[in-house]
Structure formats: structure tokens, C-alpha cells
Amino acid sequence: MADLEQLRQEAENLRKKIREARMAVADSSLAEVAADVPGVNRVSLRSRKILRGHLAKIYAMHWATDSRNLVSASQDGKLIVWDSYTTNKIHAIPLRSSWVMTCAYSPSGSFVACGGLDNICSIYSLKTREGNVRVSKELQGHTGYLSSCRFLDDSRIITSSGDMTCALWDIETGQEVVNFSGHTGDVMSLSLGPDQSTFVSGACDASAKLWDVRSGTCRQTFTGHESDINAVSFFPNGQAFTTGSDDATCRLFDIRADQELMMYSHDMIVCGITSVAFSKSGRLLLAGYDDFNCNVWDTLKGERVGVLTGHDNRVSCLGVTEDGLAIATGSWDSFLKIWN
């Protein structure tokens, strides 16, 4: 026991050293540096389209790279692929397990994936010869629910899970290639870096970790949140990322500075954050909240510059198109809305 206590003390001392090293290089703040930058005018986005068709809470959505199609997952047991221009449903895929928590569109547009309380990541092929959608692979290996998944390409996908790990899979063989372990709580979200060699994960241990895709090692750990991190999203240039947490704040972490740059919060906001995304330039940060709203923040100033209202239940997911021209929000009210 004495050994354990000694190790705990040693770990705490190392943490203290890291904190001191971070403080030593924090010669300025983002707010100070951005003081001369003109503020953003009030952002008012209109709801242009409503995608109706799900019969229960929507839990996840993801845009295709063509900025036109998107996939959504609902606990009505359906995965729907939509054409956002016409609001038509391209595919409605019945799932084996209706307890779905995440979905993803592959960069090529040929596959979609989903998973949830079944602990399995199911891959569906959209481009079959027969024209029907079928399960092309079921990736089994996680011992907890699947919280998030993102394709690297048509043959590789990364998943995060309630078993406190993330995994890189070879879709062809169905095998787990790399395991990413280090979190001490359920991993809730992941975001791929623009170069796809790294990804960041957010977990219920209130920390975010930066991982090397190839080696499986954790490069950096970022702390500061006071509760579970539900969502993470890379900054467009790949040098920073944002997190959204149950502590009612979003935070911006810089990878090179190895620390938090900005916190986005408001006295009037007391509910948790479910989802986060940046505008194409990175100047705006969009966050979905449990209070049915989506708030728009000025990334540099930390000020709230807009609110998207219109859902009748919590905003569970949101995404910005690749071309940066539209935003989609999905909600427990069973609807998706397209804004610009």
C-alpha cells in the first residue's frame, strides 16, 4: 500500500510540474492577442429546410463530403440518407438494433456506418449492384457501447466506446488493427485531424486526448473541464480543437501550446453541451445544448454572437458542410433542420 501511495504522490508531483511548465509558457491569452481584431456581427441564420421522416429521437448526423447528402440515426431503428437540397430520402435503412448512438458517412460516399448499445460498428454499402443497401461488415470487439465512429477511407474506420477505449479497424477483414487505451471514463466522442494522422477523443474522465493513428500512442492529454466531455471537434487547420461538456462550457485547446486558450460560457447557460462544430474558417464555433438551442460563438473573442432556435427538444447533433455553406442540426424532437 505504501508503494501505491508513493506512486500516487509521484503522479501528482508530475501533474504539478506539467501545470507549472504550461503556466511558464503562457505569456499571453487569446483574448489579449485578438483584442484588435474586429468583432463578428450578429449571426442570424435562417432554417431553410426541415427533414421529416424519423419517428423518434435523432441521436446523430454526419454530412457527406459532397455537402449535399447527409446521414442521420434515430432510435426509431432507422438510418436515413437524405438529399438536403430536395429533402428527399435516398435510403431508409432498418437497423438490427434500434439503440443507435452514432453514424458516419465515408469520404467516398459509398458507405455509411452506425453503432450504439449493441457494441457493434455496422458498415452499410450504399453502392451495391442490386441497388439495395446491405450490411457489408459488422465490427465486433468493443465491450461497451459505441459512442462515435469516423471513416478514414473505405477500408478503415475509427470508433470510440463506453469501454474507455478507441479502436482503428480494417473493414475488409473486420479486425481491430490498433487499440487506443488511456482514458479512465467512457469515451464519448472523437474527431479526425485534417491530415488523418491524428485524432482527438473526449471522455467522461473530463479529459481530451490527442492520439497518433498509426502508433496508437496518446501524444497529449488536455484537462480543465469539470464534468464529462460529450463532444470534440478539430479546428479547420488541425492545430487546435474544441470540446463541449456537461459543465455547460465549450473550450478551445491549442495543440502546440499544449493548453486551453479560451472558454465559451454564459451565466444564463447552465445545461450541458451535446455537440460542437466550427465554421469553415474556424471563426465561428457552433454548439448544441440540452436547452433545445444551438449557440454560435466568436472563437477569437469568446462572445456569443448568435442563437439558432426552433427545435422543441434537445439538440443532439450538428454538422457543418465541407463547403461551409450550411449547417444541419438534429434533435430529440425527431427533426433535422438545415440552416444558412
Side-chain angles (χ1 to χ4, degrees):
M1 281 308 280
D3 287 355
L4 199 60
E5 196 44 56
Q6 196 179 339
L7 287 169
R8 274 207 190 97
Q9 194 52 51
E10 194 178 330
E12 191 42 58
N13 288 341
L14 286 169
R15 276 196 207 99
K16 195 173 158 203
K17 273 190 185 153
I18 291 170
R19 276 199 298 273
E20 284 166 358
R22 280 177 177 162
M23 290 307 290
V25 294
D27 53 354
S28 181
S29 73
L30 182 57
E32 287 166 29
V33 174
D36 299 338
V37 179
V40 174
N41 292 334
R42 186 114 190 108
V43 175
S44 62
L45 295 164
R46 302 246 316 266
S47 168
R48 304 289 176 182
K49 298 260 168 42
I50 299 178
L51 308 183
R52 307 169 197 272
H54 280 300
L55 306 172
K57 293 174 177 175
I58 292 172
Y59 269 77
M61 65 75 52
H62 191 212
W63 282 102
T65 48
D66 65 5
S67 299
R68 175 169 182 166
N69 294 352
L70 64 113
V71 63
S72 61
S74 161
Q75 296 203 341
D76 61 8
K78 288 276 195 293
L79 203 61
I80 299 182
V81 178
W82 308 82
D83 179 338
S84 69
Y85 290 9
T86 62
T87 72
N88 291 343
K89 298 167 194 64
I90 302 170
H91 302 287
I93 307 165
L95 304 175
R96 291 183 188 179
S97 158
S98 65
W99 304 107
V100 61
M101 295 172 70
T102 180
C103 61
Y105 221 124
S106 73
S108 70
S110 304
F111 297 93
V112 290
C114 70
L117 296 183
D118 59 357
N119 302 5
I120 297 169
C121 181
S122 305
I123 313 283
Y124 293 85
S125 170
L126 303 179
K127 305 269 167 85
T128 56
R129 273 199 212 110
E130 301 80 52
N132 60 345
V133 176
R134 58 177 175 78
V135 178
S136 67
K137 212 52 160 192
E138 289 188 328
L139 308 175
Q140 305 185 24
H142 280 299
T143 54
Y145 60 86
L146 207 79
S147 58
S148 188
C149 60
R150 285 294 177 260
F151 285 92
L152 285 165
D153 49 46
D154 283 354
S155 60
R156 296 176 303 155
I157 193 169
I158 295 179
T159 55
S160 65
S161 166
D163 64 12
M164 307 198 281
T165 70
C166 299
L168 170 66
W169 303 82
D170 181 321
I171 296 172
E172 315 273 293
T173 63
Q175 297 300 307
E176 183 179 311
V177 186
V178 186
N179 185 274
F180 306 88
S181 56
H183 278 297
T184 53
D186 301 12
V187 186
M188 295 306 291
S189 177
L190 69 90
S191 177
L192 280 173
D195 61 354
Q196 300 205 331
S197 65
T198 57
F199 73 95
V200 66
S201 61
C204 291
D205 57 13
S207 78
K209 288 182 180 285
L210 179 74
W211 304 89
D212 186 307
V213 171
R214 283 165 294 200
S215 67
T217 51
C218 172
R219 285 194 188 170
Q220 283 163 266
T221 302
F222 298 85
T223 54
H225 276 295
E226 290 156 26
S227 187
D228 306 2
I229 294 175
N230 296 321
V232 291
S233 182
F234 254 102
F235 193 75
N237 70 0
Q239 304 287 3
F241 65 90
T242 186
T243 51
S245 162
D246 278 344
D247 66 11
T249 69
C250 294
R251 299 181 192 226
L252 180 68
F253 293 96
D254 188 276
I255 291 165
R256 291 173 298 184
D258 193 38
Q259 57 193 309
E260 183 185 312
L261 293 188
M262 183 69 84
M263 182 164 83
Y264 308 90
S265 62
H266 195 281
D267 297 342
M268 300 298 287
I269 301 174
V270 291
C271 64
I273 289 138
T274 60
S275 42
V276 287
F278 282 106
S279 63
K280 191 168 169 67
S281 67
R283 184 64 197 269
L284 300 177
L285 166 62
L286 301 123
Y289 290 74
D290 291 344
D291 67 0
F292 315 172
N293 288 334
C294 172
N295 286 311
V296 186
W297 300 90
D298 180 336
T299 307
L300 287 177
K301 305 278 189 182
E303 295 159 2
R304 183 163 63 166
V305 292
V307 189
L308 310 185
T309 55
H311 283 295
D312 300 325
N313 206 325
R314 84 159 50 163
V315 175
S316 56
C317 52
L318 64 88
V320 176
T321 53
E322 188 103 350
D323 61 17
L325 298 179
I327 298 154
T329 53
S331 164
W332 279 12
D333 66 11
S334 84
F335 300 122
L336 289 145
K337 292 183 182 240
I338 311 290
W339 313 73
N340 65 10

